[in-house]
Amino acid sequence: MAGGSDAVESTTLSCAKCGKPAHLQCPKCVELKLPREGAAFCSQDCFKVSWSSHKSVHSKSISSSAPVNPGEQNAASQNDGWLYCLRKGNARSHELPHFDWTGQLRPYPISKRRPIPNQIDQPDWALDGIPKIEPNSDLQYHVEIKAPDQIEKMRETCRIARDVLDAAARVIRPGITTDEIDAVVHEVTISAGGYPSPLNYNFFPKSCCTSVNEVICHGIPDARKLEDGDIVNVDVSVYYKGVHADLNETFFVGNVDESSQRLVQCTYECLEKAIAAVKPGVRFREIGEIINRHASMRNRIVVMVLEISSIVHQIFLIMREIRQLG
């Protein structure tokens, strides 16, 4: 660990593992001139415990081998895995897919599917991409009141998912690719003994969703580097002990314009107002009405109605637990 002249200012940075004041920094991060945020540690012990997940931020080969322009053929060979994703995850191509684009963003090639250790418990879609239990489950039509042991598993899994999302947040900056964010999510998830739920779910090729700028949700991590002024939503889901945890946040990349700041602030306010209304007896539709009403007052109707799906899902999980407690 770097110390002395390379020591991290304890008044400005916290340990990436435990949150205590940090006095040391990962020497590899110093060598690569990576930002100190997320690379600071309070002790050798915290550094050693975090190494299996922290080392994933050192990978520079992904961004250096990625294409400069999505319209140009990828310089990497097919064996390197950098190909465009087609047919809802079922196919790959060297060519940029045709679409009637409405914004500035374009898809970039994606890397190979990341492996899962054999000892990790996997959901039923992990191997062939097809969910078996979910389509015919009674839980599609009614809310199950969870038993105490199920709720405890949910809490444990949610804590893992929170740690995973926090790890992803620490590496977000201009110049990093969303594929590198996905690598962090993947490594931290399996290090905790979990399975990244999105991976191969209906052939989704990655371990999290990264939705940049005008992408509403469920964006596929790829070789595009984040740019100063972008906003990116990272959606994390973890499968652990037979249950799933699902959460997401939208992050600013560098200096973000006022319009984007207002959008993210309004989204957060919608979430807070919806959570405040959650209690036994409240209908699900009332949650949506609260969100839509506040968004409308901020002149964000179209954007917010499209973006609240993940928020409503979070509220649904909260209400399900409150019904048990009530």
Side-chain angles (χ1 to χ4, degrees):
M1 294 288 288
S5 61
D6 291 324
V8 179
E9 294 293 335
S10 62
T11 58
T12 58
L13 294 180
S14 300
C15 177
K17 174 62 180 175
C18 68
K20 294 180 180 178
H23 304 277
L24 302 172
Q25 187 175 12
C26 169
K28 188 65 176 180
C29 290
V30 173
E31 176 187 338
L32 295 173
K33 298 181 179 180
L34 299 179
R36 289 185 168 185
E37 293 80 0
F41 297 90
C42 66
S43 66
Q44 289 283 355
D45 290 338
C46 276
F47 178 64
K48 291 176 182 178
V49 170
S50 302
W51 176 248
S52 61
S53 58
H54 174 73
K55 64 183 180 181
S56 61
V57 305
H58 300 151
S59 174
K60 291 298 179 181
S61 59
I62 295 178
S63 57
S64 62
S65 64
V68 175
N69 190 307
E72 300 175 356
Q73 183 174 353
N74 182 16
S77 68
Q78 183 170 349
N79 291 332
D80 292 328
W82 288 101
L83 298 169
Y84 292 101
C85 183
L86 305 176
R87 295 177 56 196
K88 298 181 178 180
N90 280 298
R92 301 289 186 272
S93 172
H94 282 293
E95 302 297 326
L96 177 69
H98 172 74
F99 189 76
D100 187 16
W101 312 106
T102 59
Q104 298 297 317
L105 205 63
R106 298 291 182 272
Y108 277 66
I110 67 172
S111 60
K112 286 183 178 180
R113 176 178 166 181
R114 294 186 164 86
I116 299 291
N118 292 332
Q119 69 270 21
I120 299 293
D121 187 25
Q122 303 182 20
D124 63 3
W125 59 78
L127 296 180
D128 61 8
I130 302 173
K132 286 79 172 178
I133 299 174
E134 179 187 354
N136 300 315
S137 172
D138 290 341
L139 296 181
Q140 296 279 358
Y141 310 104
H142 74 273
V143 177
E144 177 186 59
I145 305 301
K146 302 295 185 185
D149 63 320
Q150 291 175 302
I151 292 177
E152 182 53 39
K153 289 178 181 178
M154 292 169 64
R155 291 186 188 279
E156 189 175 359
T157 307
C158 286
R159 282 192 287 267
I160 294 174
R162 179 72 257 178
D163 289 342
V164 171
L165 185 56
D166 288 345
R170 288 193 289 267
V171 302
I172 293 175
R173 64 182 185 278
I176 194 171
T177 67
T178 50
D179 185 84
E180 289 176 291
I181 297 172
D182 182 78
V184 172
V185 168
H186 186 88
E187 290 300 323
V188 177
T189 300
I190 63 175
S191 294
Y195 178 94
S197 303
L199 187 61
N200 212 30
Y201 176 76
N202 287 316
F203 310 105
F204 189 84
K206 292 297 172 183
S207 297
C208 69
C209 302
T210 53
S211 304
V212 180
N213 297 340
E214 67 263 30
V215 177
I216 300 302
C217 62
H218 302 158
I220 299 173
D222 60 21
R224 179 187 180 273
K225 294 181 180 180
L226 293 177
E227 300 176 359
D228 186 72
D230 284 345
I231 59 173
V232 56
N233 180 274
V234 180
D235 192 346
V236 167
S237 300
V238 174
Y239 178 73
Y240 182 72
K241 292 187 177 181
V243 300
H244 296 271
D246 187 350
L247 72 163
N248 71 88
E249 287 185 16
T250 299
F251 301 95
F252 296 150
V253 183
N255 301 303
V256 175
D257 62 40
E258 187 176 347
S259 177
S260 296
Q261 292 182 37
R262 288 198 301 267
L263 170 62
V264 175
Q265 179 62 33
C266 182
T267 306
Y268 179 76
E269 291 169 359
C270 287
L271 175 62
E272 291 294 294
K273 288 180 177 295
I275 291 176
V278 172
K279 61 182 178 181
V282 174
R283 294 182 176 89
F284 290 147
R285 70 187 185 199
E286 294 178 44
I287 303 298
E289 290 170 357
I290 290 170
I291 294 171
N292 187 59
R293 186 183 309 118
H294 185 71
S296 299
M297 293 173 60
R298 297 300 182 91
N299 297 317
R300 299 285 174 180
I301 300 174
V302 176
V303 174
M304 293 307 300
V305 168
L306 290 172
E307 288 204 354
I308 62 174
S309 59
S310 60
I311 297 176
V312 171
H313 181 65
Q314 294 180 57
I315 301 299
F316 171 83
L317 295 177
I318 295 169
M319 288 191 69
R320 182 163 59 184
E321 183 165 332
I322 287 182
R323 288 186 65 180
Q324 166 66 26
L325 297 176

